[in-house]
Amino acid sequence: MEKTAIIPGSFDPITNGHLDVVARSAKLFDKVYVAVLNNNSKSPLFSAEERVELIKRVTGDFQNVYVESFSGLLVDFAKSKSASFIIKGLRAVSDFEYECQMALANKNLEGDIETLFMTSSPNYSYLSSSIVKELARHHAPLENLVPNEIIQDIYNKY
Ligand code: PNS
């Protein structure tokens, strides 16, 4: 049976840390869906459509990676793609408590879907979309933090 995984997140914007998790997951699963949360209440920097476009731009080389936005429950999106796995990157212990809560809530909603945690590569362990936005707001360099192809799109927002 085909193994399909979902990598969910806000991705506002995608970072090299996210991309690392996508690249490693693409080697482990037949199909990987990057699922972009379309959540208007969070007032993101990039619209869901823009975030999907940026992620598609930087994942174009992966034949088995698909990018879509979703709203509502993650497990419903996973079921709609016949995915049995949710992949979450863990940067540090501080991520664990929240991620563990989410994993248990999702397990309670849909027992057949497993959340798997992937330890982030050490060079990305401090990296987050919030840090990227803070640096961009101060016109600091973004090389090595986000893919080069999207740096200008981020600066253009400020
Ligand atoms: O990048 P983020 O903001 O940490 O991602 C959070 C995300 C998208 C994984 C999470 O908010 C989510 O799954 N939202 C969808 C609603 C849902 O299914 N929540 C879990 C049950 S409470």
Side-chain angles (χ1 to χ4, degrees):
M1 209 183 87
E2 225 178 35
K3 289 204 184 323
T4 301
I6 307 289
I7 305 180
S10 300
F11 303 108
D12 187 39
I14 188 166
T15 68
N16 282 346
H18 294 132
L19 196 55
D20 178 55
V21 171
V22 172
R24 289 157 65 196
S25 301
K27 289 187 192 157
L28 297 172
F29 296 94
D30 298 304
K31 272 187 180 175
V32 170
Y33 284 89
V34 181
V36 177
L37 181 65
N38 187 353
N39 182 354
N40 293 336
S41 68
K42 262 192 164 181
S43 41
L45 183 64
F46 291 96
S47 70
E49 293 73 24
E50 287 172 324
R51 285 177 274 152
V52 166
E53 193 277 313
L54 293 180
I55 301 169
K56 280 186 176 168
R57 203 189 298 166
V58 300
T59 57
D61 286 345
F62 302 107
Q63 299 304 310
N64 58 340
V65 172
Y66 306 85
V67 189
E68 290 187 23
S69 64
F70 77 103
S71 44
L73 288 176
L74 175 60
V75 290
D76 289 336
F77 179 78
K79 278 196 289 182
S80 76
K81 301 299 176 193
S82 305
S84 304
F85 303 96
I86 294 168
I87 309 296
K88 296 303 298 277
L90 278 189
R91 289 164 299 190
V93 180
S94 50
D95 281 342
F96 183 75
E97 197 170 305
Y98 172 71
E99 293 299 346
C100 196
Q101 260 186 327
M102 282 291 191
L104 292 173
N106 286 328
K107 186 77 179 165
N108 191 47
L109 286 167
E110 197 53 57
D112 289 339
I113 299 179
E114 295 289 348
T115 297
L116 305 179
F117 294 121
M118 189 175 276
T119 314
S120 85
S121 300
N123 33 337
Y124 304 132
S125 62
Y126 70 97
L127 188 54
S128 68
S129 298
S130 306
I131 288 202
V132 167
K133 286 181 276 195
E134 180 68 4
L135 292 172
R137 199 159 65 83
H138 293 98
H139 313 288
L142 298 179
E143 280 75 19
N144 302 320
L145 305 183
V146 299
N148 287 339
E149 302 96 299
I150 71 167
I151 288 178
Q152 195 54 51
D153 299 76
I154 301 170
Y155 285 137
N156 287 349
K157 288 284 179 183
Y158 292 95

